Amino acid sequence: MSTVPSRASYGALLAGFRASAVARRDALSEAAAQLRRDRGAETADDEHDPEGVTLSMEWQRIEGLRLAAERDLAEIVEALTRWSVDDYGRCEGCGRSIPMERLRVRPAARRCVPCAERVGG
Ligand SMILES: [Zn+2]
């Protein structure tokens, strides 16, 4: 039998995830802003400037990562909202506690592994 984690330990887990998601989002925002400045400093002529093309691709890559970080952060915030009303860590499928090991990997998970596999995610 595994012990059921306390509500406080879920809160600590989520707070940690939120802090790292915020840090990642902020770092990527800063990287995107820096690239924008670099591009602004160069000519805006991406098509004829090899350096401009490279910056464009880098910008797209960072912007994609930034959006993913925003999405992760939104999921964590949503999970924290569930936690605040004492509805976090319970499987929507079977109603049992979602194992802590799963929540450590996917803090915003709404279902235990067997239920998630049944519904395909
Ligand atoms: Zn379940």
Side-chain angles (χ1 to χ4, degrees):
M1 276 303 285
S2 61
T3 54
V4 177
S6 69
R7 188 163 180 273
S9 64
Y10 283 133
L13 177 78
L14 287 170
F17 269 105
R18 182 176 56 183
S20 62
V22 166
R24 192 153 49 96
R25 192 266 321 263
D26 288 353
L28 287 163
S29 295
E30 176 51 33
Q34 179 63 51
L35 263 182
R36 218 169 14 231
R37 282 194 293 272
D38 289 352
R39 283 177 77 180
E42 304 289 321
T43 60
D45 190 359
D46 280 4
E47 287 179 31
H48 301 101
D49 178 5
E51 179 78 355
V53 172
T54 308
L55 286 175
S56 276
M57 287 169 60
E58 182 65 1
W59 158 260
Q60 278 176 19
R61 190 181 70 84
I62 290 186
E63 187 61 7
L65 289 171
R66 193 184 65 76
L67 290 174
E70 290 277 11
R71 215 157 38 228
D72 287 353
L73 182 56
E75 283 190 351
I76 304 288
V77 168
E78 189 273 333
L80 268 166
T81 304
R82 274 186 281 142
W83 178 80
S84 72
V85 296
D86 217 1
D87 192 31
Y88 177 71
R90 192 168 49 242
C91 175
E92 284 184 350
C94 63
R96 283 195 287 262
S97 294
I98 300 172
M100 197 64 165
E101 305 81 65
R102 173 161 169 76
L103 293 172
R104 277 190 221 283
V105 182
R106 289 195 56 186
R110 289 165 169 274
R111 296 184 181 86
C112 66
V113 171
C115 289
E117 282 173 352
R118 221 174 13 250
V119 298

